């Protein structure tokens, strides 16, 4: 019998496997895919993440210290922090590097097996796949957004989500990350062009519906600007949770990463939050296994700890996300004009409190900035709630 079965070999699952095997526990990781870490993602991680969870240099495509934000009317803001704020990385190999380390410490990986059912009894967890049966003392679900296993175990569903879509492309004259705002490309959200390898980029967007049509329109727009020369392969889509699960634990079970909705609602980025939450889960489960108590009560510490770390970011980020969805292109253009002023740049864009991974302070500063505050007053119901939250924080 294993100590832990982990379902899913993404960043959360692999980091949990590494942490638990380092503590001497017997761990098996099961994933339906053969290629670990190969999930659609823009592959951007902040400096803080890279510091806590180091990235092998060979997996870094480039450093990112500058970005361009393009308004609906075509005007733009160039932001240059003067030093790297993030890294654009080879996500698949970065995620797989955690798995390789976990295997070095003794973790067993069952790839190409799909988990069909999980049965929790008083003394054991039984995991049934399309290839066999496994038993363990506990299970971690790191099975990604929309996993039916979470629902089958009575932990419900993520209450809100968005669809991401992305395609690789050959590009010219694209040195820095570009973010495009406005209804035409990505209603309620944003689209992006992220340079990776030389003369190559990831082109994508997030939106609630008609993702393929919006991507085609966006790519055609970039082609007309001589940024995209041709696309590579076919687009890929994936679900991005915007809200966390209400409960991420039960008897012998913990849920981590995208499956738990531990994702930045502002950008859809989930690597760093997944890694931090999986570290917390590993510590709590390790102690529970040591004490021979993997009850719901014992594992509830996990939810208290990850919420203490992330809940303010998730709540303020979601409120800001919903607020942004109500903005018209005209209102976004107005906010962008405010953002071009030197005062705004000094107080907000280049403030030392602004962080790539922690957005609540940036959100609070923005909505209370006089020029932007006046624009946001036009949408009172959501703005009033958000302003109240940021004042409390």
């Amino acid at each position: 019998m294993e100590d832990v079965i982990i379902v899913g070999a993404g960043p959360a699952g692999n980091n949990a496997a590494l942490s638990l095997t380092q503590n001497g526990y017997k761990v098996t990781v099961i994933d339906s895919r053969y290629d670990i870490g190969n999930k659609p993602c823009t592959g951007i991680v902040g400096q803080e993440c890279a510091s806590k969870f180091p990235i092998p240099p060979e997996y870094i495509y480039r450093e990112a210290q500058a970005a361009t934000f393009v308004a609906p009317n075509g005007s733009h803001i160039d932001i240059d922090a003067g030093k790297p704020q993030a890294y654009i990385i080879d996500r698949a190999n970065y995620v797989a590097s955690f798995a390789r380390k976990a295997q070095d410490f003794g973790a067993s990986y069952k790839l190409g097996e799909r988990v069909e059912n999980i049965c929790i009894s008083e003394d054991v967890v039984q995991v049934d796949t399309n290839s066999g049966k496994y038993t363990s003392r506990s299970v971690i679900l790191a099975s990604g957004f929309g996993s039916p296993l979470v629902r089958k175990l009575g932990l419900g569903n993520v209450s809100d989500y968005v669809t991401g879509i992305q395609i690789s492309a050959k590009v010219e004259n694209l040195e820095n990350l570009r973010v495009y705002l406005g209804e035409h490309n990505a209603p309620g959200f944003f689209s992006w062009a992220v340079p990776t390898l030389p003369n190559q980029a990831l082109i994508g967007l997030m939106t609630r519906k008609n993702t393929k049509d919006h991507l085609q329109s966006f790519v055609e727009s970039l082609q007309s600007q001589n940024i995209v020369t041709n696309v590579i392969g076919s687009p890929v889509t994936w679900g991005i949770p915007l809200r966390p699960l209400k409960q991420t634990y039960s008897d012998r079970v913990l849920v981590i990463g995208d499956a738990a909705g531990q994702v930045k609602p502002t950008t859809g980025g989930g690597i760093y939050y997944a890694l931090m939450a999986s570290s917390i889960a590993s510590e709590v489960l390790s102690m529970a296994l040591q004490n021979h108590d993997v009850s719901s009560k014992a594992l509830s510490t996990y939810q208290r700890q990850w919420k203490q770390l992330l809940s303010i970011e998730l709540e303020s980020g979601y409120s800001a996300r919903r607020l942004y969805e109500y903005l018209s292109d005209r209102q976004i253009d107005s906010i962008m004009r405010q953002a071009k002023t030197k005062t705004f740049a000094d107080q907000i864009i280049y403030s030392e409190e602004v962080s790539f991974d922690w957005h609540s302070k940036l959100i609070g500063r923005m909505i209370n900035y006089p020029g932007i505050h006046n624009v946001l007053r036009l949408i009172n119901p959501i703005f009033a709630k958000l302003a109240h939250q940021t004042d409390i924080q």
Side-chain angles (χ1 to χ4, degrees):
M1 183 186 297
E2 298 295 282
D3 292 311
V4 188
I5 289 176
I6 299 174
V7 183
N14 290 335
N15 185 53
L18 174 58
S19 298
L20 287 162
T21 52
Q22 285 176 323
N23 284 330
Y25 293 102
K26 293 176 62 178
V27 177
T28 291
V29 181
I30 304 174
D31 197 296
S32 60
R33 297 165 297 184
Y34 287 98
D35 47 346
I36 294 176
N38 189 18
K39 175 205 161 192
C41 177
T42 55
I44 303 177
V45 297
Q47 278 233 332
E48 185 177 322
C49 177
S51 175
K52 291 184 178 180
F53 303 94
I55 307 166
E58 61 269 28
Y59 301 148
I60 298 176
Y61 289 137
R62 61 180 69 206
E63 297 177 339
Q65 72 175 43
T68 298
F69 290 81
V70 183
N73 64 9
S75 65
H76 65 273
I77 299 175
D78 295 316
I79 298 174
D80 190 336
K83 58 182 179 180
Q85 300 297 301
Y87 298 96
I88 300 171
I89 66 170
D90 179 342
R91 179 197 190 274
N93 271 312
Y94 177 53
V95 172
S97 69
F98 288 88
R100 288 191 288 270
K101 291 177 184 177
Q103 288 172 307
D104 288 342
F105 278 95
S108 173
Y109 274 70
K110 307 295 183 182
L111 303 179
E113 292 192 36
R114 182 174 297 278
V115 175
E116 297 177 341
N117 189 53
I118 297 175
C119 181
I120 310 294
S121 66
E122 183 177 346
D123 300 317
V124 71
V125 176
Q126 179 173 305
V127 177
D128 300 334
T129 76
N130 58 333
S131 299
K133 300 180 184 293
Y134 303 89
T135 57
S136 70
R137 298 167 64 193
S138 61
V139 64
I140 292 178
L141 296 183
S143 42
F145 167 70
S147 170
L149 298 173
V150 177
R151 184 178 64 256
K152 286 180 180 180
L153 290 177
L155 294 172
N157 295 303
V158 167
S159 61
D160 196 8
Y161 70 96
V162 66
T163 300
I165 187 168
Q166 184 170 261
I167 194 167
S168 294
K170 291 290 185 180
V171 296
E172 293 182 356
N173 304 316
L174 184 67
E175 292 300 320
N176 297 318
L177 165 69
R178 292 191 183 187
V179 177
Y180 295 78
L181 310 175
E183 289 286 318
H184 178 67
N185 292 319
F189 291 82
F190 60 91
S191 50
W192 60 80
V194 178
T196 53
L197 298 171
N199 298 318
Q200 193 167 318
L202 295 173
I203 309 298
L205 56 87
M206 298 162 58
T207 193
R208 291 191 181 275
K209 58 184 180 179
N210 301 325
T211 51
K212 290 184 178 179
D213 292 340
H214 287 300
L215 179 64
Q216 181 177 346
S217 175
F218 180 48
V219 169
E220 289 173 353
S221 173
L222 295 182
Q223 287 173 326
S224 70
Q225 300 170 52
N226 298 317
I227 295 173
V228 168
T229 56
N230 61 280
V231 298
I232 304 170
S234 302
V236 290
T237 60
W238 70 102
I240 302 170
L242 297 177
R243 299 289 279 165
L245 282 179
K246 290 184 178 179
Q247 185 166 326
T248 55
Y249 66 94
S250 64
D251 289 335
R252 300 184 181 273
V253 179
L254 293 177
V255 189
I256 60 177
D258 281 16
Q262 293 157 340
V263 172
K264 288 179 274 190
T266 46
T267 65
I271 294 176
Y272 187 32
Y273 285 11
L275 291 172
M276 289 190 292
S278 63
S279 293
I280 294 171
S282 301
E283 291 175 6
V284 171
L285 184 55
S286 181
M287 182 62 67
L289 291 168
Q290 181 179 328
N291 294 334
H292 301 284
D293 181 5
V294 284
S295 66
S296 177
K297 181 179 180 180
L299 297 182
S300 66
T301 304
Y302 159 66
Q303 179 154 313
R304 288 197 299 272
Q305 289 186 10
W306 79 251
K307 282 199 166 186
Q308 184 178 14
L309 177 67
L310 297 177
S311 63
I312 289 177
E313 297 298 316
L314 298 181
E315 289 301 320
S316 62
Y318 184 72
S319 295
R321 158 59 47 216
R322 295 294 291 144
L323 168 62
Y324 179 80
E325 286 192 68
Y326 278 79
L327 293 177
S328 67
D329 282 357
R330 188 173 179 179
Q331 290 166 332
I332 294 171
D333 287 334
S334 177
I335 291 173
M336 289 283 280
R337 283 194 295 272
Q338 293 291 329
K340 285 186 176 183
T341 64
K342 185 179 185 304
T343 302
F344 183 94
D346 292 341
Q347 293 184 7
I348 298 178
I349 294 177
Y350 298 115
S351 168
E352 292 184 359
E353 290 187 336
V354 173
S355 166
F356 182 86
D357 289 304
W358 308 100
H359 299 162
S360 59
K361 289 184 178 179
L362 171 63
I363 292 168
R365 282 174 170 268
M366 286 189 67
I367 69 168
N368 289 300
Y369 186 79
I372 294 178
H373 183 94
N374 293 335
V375 174
L376 298 182
R377 280 192 311 174
L378 300 174
I379 25 183
N380 280 328
I382 295 179
F383 172 63
K385 176 184 176 183
L386 181 57
H388 176 65
Q389 288 179 344
T390 54
D391 284 344
I392 291 174
Q393 294 163 16

